[in-house]
Structures are given as structure tokens and as C-alpha cells.
């Protein structure tokens, strides 16, 4: 049964009522709710990765609740209400899609992306932003892998980019050798962090050239590792042992066995 969003807004208002609401909801602030907002967004992505449409429906509801929660707190403080959020995003989508809502055409998707960045830059300037860099407006609140990709995309829009994946692969080898050099020469933590950061940055660039989402790829790698590790634990348990009781060489043999068996 379809239910109007106004009902959810009313529920949140009730939860936030200082006299008769939920004590936990009442005491929350933007800062305390922000981590839940991020968590819900990742749970949406997880449901999509698992192709679980029932779970996706539920997780989207949880994410919508976050928007309503923040909007209610803003309304209580006299800043804006949920309706203002909806109006703002409607205006923004129309403004940023002139090829849909106006008589504008783009040569290709790359040109459309450049125009999108141009429109965003104009919006920042209209708000009084003074940063004219091609990298302006990339949030520092993003996960660092996502910020790396956005920085690289912006640089590519002005031509600062490798032509294809091959020099990126060469650069990864170069950066790994620099990490090896630091390890072998007793580098301190800061130097190692700097060099390993370079490896991760170039790896993100490789994913961008391959048109692979970094977060999705890493989630897949995490899931694969967890699946294989749990299978190793199951084998150990079937032998009446704990995995920790196996020496490393035997653990590695178990890993190879699980991998060979399709784990």
C-alpha cells in the first residue's frame, strides 16, 4: 500500500516532540545522526550488490528516514523544512540537465560531464565561492577513495590524464618499488604512509580507467576474503581444531584448497 511521505514527516515530528516524543530521537543532533546517514547509504549499496530487492526497498526507506530526520531538525531550528529540500533538488536537477529540459545538445557523455562540472562551478560562484580551481567543491567529507577518483576525474576534464590503462599499470609498479625501497631502508611510519598512499591513489586511478567502481570492487574483495576465511575455519572445525592451531604454512595450504574448490 502506497503511503504519502507526509505521514513519515508527521511520524518524525512526533518522535522529536520534546514532551511526548522518543527521548533518544529528541536528544539527537546533525552531528550525531550523520554517521547513521553514511551507514544507511552503504547498506543501500550492499543490498544492490546482493541484488536483494526486498532488502533494497527497506534500506532505501532507512535512507529516506535520514533525510526526513535531518530536515526535521533543520525545521525546528528555523533553517529549512523537508519541502525546501525537495524543491531545491528539483530545481537543481532541471538546471543541471539542460539537454533534457532545454534545447541543449552534447556531443558525447564526456562533453555532458564537462558541462555538468561547469554548471556546478557556476552554482558555487553564485553562492560566493572564490575557489576557481577545477578541483573546487570536492567534499572533504567523502571516503578518501571516492575523493581520489573525483580529483582524478576533474583533472582529466582539463586534459591532465593518462591516455589509457597501460601507463597507469607502469606507475603502480613504480610506486610499489618505492614502497619496497622504503621498507628495505628502514623508513619511518610517515614515509611509508606517504608511499603507500601513492600506491592506493594510483590503484584508484586504474579502477577509473577500467570504469570499475572502487567501492564495489573492494566490497567484492572483502566478501571473497571473508567467504574463503570462513571456509578455512569450517575445515579446521571439521578436523576438531581451531584455525589458529595450524602453522602458517598449513593455513596457506588451506587457503589454496578453498580457492581451488571455488571458494
Amino acid at each position: 500500500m502506497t503511503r504519502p511521505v507526509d505521514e513519515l514527516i508527521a511520524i518524525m515530528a512526533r518522535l522529536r516532540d520534546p514532551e511526548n516524543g522518543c527521548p533518544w530521537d529528541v536528544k539527537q543532533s546533525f552531528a550525531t545522526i550523520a554517521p547513521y546517514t553514511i551507514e544507511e547509504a552503504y547498506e543501500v549499496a550492499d543490498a544492490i550488490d546482493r541484488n536483494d530487492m526486498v532488502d533494497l526497498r527497506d534500506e532505501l526507506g532507512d535512507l529516506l528516514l535520514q533525510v526526513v530526520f535531518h530536515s526535521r531538525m533543520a525545521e525546528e531550528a528555523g533553517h529549512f523544512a523537508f519541502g525546501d529540500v525537495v524543491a531545491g533538488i528539483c530545481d537543481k536537477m532541471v538546471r543541471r540537465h539542460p539537454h533534457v529540459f532545454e534545447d541543449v545538445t552534447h556531443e558525447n557523455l564526456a562533453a555532458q560531464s564537462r558541462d555538468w562540472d561547469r554548471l556546478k562551478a557556476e552554482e558555487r560562484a553564485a553562492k560566493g565561492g572564490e575557489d576557481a580551481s577545477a578541483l573546487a567543491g570536492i567534499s572533504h567529507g567523502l571516503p578518501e577513495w571516492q575523493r581520489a577518483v573525483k580529483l582524478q576525474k576533474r583533472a582529466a576534464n582539463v586534459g591532465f590524464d593518462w591516455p589509457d590503462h597501460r601507463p597507469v599499470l607502469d606507475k603502480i609498479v613504480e610506486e610499489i618499488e618505492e614502497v619496497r625501497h622504503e621498507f628495505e631502508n628502514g623508513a619511518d611510519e610517515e614515509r611509508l604512509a606517504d608511499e603507500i598512499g601513492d600506491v592506493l591513489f594510483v590503484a584508484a586511478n586504474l579502477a577509473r580507467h577500467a570504469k570499475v567502481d572502487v567501492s564495489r570492487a573492494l566490497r567484492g574483495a572483502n566478501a571473497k576474503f571473508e567467504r574463503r576465511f570462513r571456509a578455512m575455519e569450517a575445515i579446521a572445525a571439521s578436523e576438531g581444531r581451531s584455525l589458529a592451531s595450524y602453522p602458517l604454512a598449513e593455513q596457506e595450504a588451506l587457503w589454496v584448497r578453498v580457492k581451488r574448490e571455488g571458494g
Side-chain angles (χ1 to χ4, degrees):
M1 179 180 65
T2 301
R3 300 168 76 169
V5 72
D6 287 349
E7 183 176 352
L8 179 58
I9 293 170
I11 289 171
M12 179 52 64
R14 177 71 181 275
L15 291 172
R16 288 280 297 177
D17 183 273
E19 299 296 328
N20 301 304
C22 169
W24 186 90
D25 289 279
V26 170
K27 75 175 184 178
Q28 300 310 308
S29 67
F30 295 113
T32 62
I33 290 299
Y36 295 101
T37 308
I38 295 168
E39 179 181 343
E40 296 300 349
Y42 276 109
E43 290 184 359
V44 166
D46 177 60
I48 292 170
D49 281 348
R50 291 183 284 105
N51 195 32
D52 188 333
M53 293 298 106
V54 173
D55 202 18
L56 177 58
R57 178 200 63 197
D58 292 344
E59 297 300 346
L60 286 171
D62 291 343
L63 187 57
L64 176 59
L65 176 65
Q66 297 298 307
V67 177
V68 172
F69 206 143
H70 285 288
S71 298
R72 178 62 196 177
M73 291 187 290
E75 184 175 4
E76 292 167 359
H79 300 308
F80 58 82
F82 181 81
D84 300 307
V85 174
V86 174
I89 192 60
C90 287
D91 290 343
K92 183 184 293 184
M93 288 300 96
V94 171
R95 184 170 63 250
R96 290 187 182 177
H97 292 82
H99 54 290
V100 176
F101 299 102
E102 298 177 24
D103 188 19
V104 173
T105 58
H106 295 111
E107 181 181 352
N108 49 42
L109 287 176
Q112 181 181 326
S113 179
R114 287 192 296 271
D115 197 40
W116 176 277
D117 286 336
R118 178 187 62 79
L119 290 167
K120 290 179 67 175
E122 290 176 356
E123 290 169 6
R124 288 193 298 271
K127 292 179 180 178
E130 298 179 358
D131 188 351
S133 171
L135 306 179
I138 299 176
S139 172
H140 287 270
L142 292 170
E144 294 302 335
W145 65 262
Q146 189 174 359
R147 192 161 191 274
V149 173
K150 283 185 173 289
L151 288 167
Q152 293 158 5
K153 284 182 177 179
R154 290 284 190 86
N157 281 343
V158 297
F160 188 66
D161 193 15
W162 281 299
D164 56 44
H165 67 280
R166 286 168 292 190
V168 189
L169 287 169
D170 293 338
K171 188 64 175 177
I172 286 180
V173 173
E174 176 188 328
E175 296 295 353
I176 289 175
E177 286 304 313
E178 291 182 7
V179 172
R180 188 192 308 276
H181 173 80
E182 295 298 342
F183 268 116
E184 293 174 351
N185 289 274
D188 60 23
E189 183 179 340
E190 286 300 315
R191 288 183 62 82
L192 281 170
D194 184 63
E195 295 297 347
I196 291 172
D198 289 344
V199 172
L200 296 173
F201 188 84
V202 180
N205 210 344
L206 180 63
R208 181 179 65 86
H209 274 271
K211 295 181 173 55
V212 169
D213 180 82
V214 179
S215 180
R216 183 178 182 185
L218 188 54
R219 285 198 302 274
N222 287 341
K224 180 167 58 180
F225 178 86
E226 182 177 4
R227 183 175 65 250
R228 291 175 177 173
F229 190 87
R230 288 179 180 274
M232 291 166 61
E233 291 178 316
I235 293 172
S238 72
E239 298 176 352
R241 300 173 61 182
S242 70
L243 185 59
S245 70
Y246 289 76
L248 179 58
E250 291 184 26
Q251 290 184 351
E252 290 178 341
L254 281 179
W255 178 271
V256 171
R257 173 182 165 184
V258 168
K259 183 178 179 180
R260 187 172 57 244
E261 293 174 355

